[in-house]
Amino acid sequence: RAFDRVKGFMIMTMQNASTQPPEIIVVDADCDEVCCDGGGGALGHPMVWYTFDGRKTVECMYCDRQFEQKSA
């Protein structure tokens, strides 16, 4: 990830944020909902739940992880 130095602190800036593709997590086709905490323990984000609601893919609004249902 890209960081800028401000008053001796390293901070991540959105314009310099990593351009790596998001992590893709494949779940069973019969899975209706998933939760995401960003991984990394204390370095993650608040736990959030998402429902597929007829879609095959959902994306975490915090870390951009993508959850995909396996093809049946």
Side-chain angles (χ1 to χ4, degrees):
R1 294 190 176 190
F3 293 88
D4 285 337
R5 187 173 293 277
V6 176
K7 294 185 180 181
F9 293 96
M10 298 295 284
I11 60 168
M12 184 174 169
T13 58
M14 293 307 292
Q15 66 268 22
N16 293 330
S18 173
T19 57
Q20 293 179 344
E23 179 179 8
I24 297 174
I25 300 171
V26 179
V27 299
D28 290 333
D30 62 350
C31 181
D32 293 327
E33 60 183 11
V34 292
C35 71
C36 185
D37 64 3
L43 299 177
H45 59 68
M47 185 177 293
V48 289
W49 290 85
Y50 298 98
T51 58
F52 284 98
D53 218 11
R55 298 170 289 177
K56 293 291 183 192
T57 303
V58 293
E59 183 176 317
C60 178
M61 66 180 195
Y62 285 101
C63 66
D64 296 330
R65 275 185 177 164
Q66 292 181 2
F67 297 87
E68 293 183 1
Q69 288 179 322
K70 285 182 189 176
S71 297

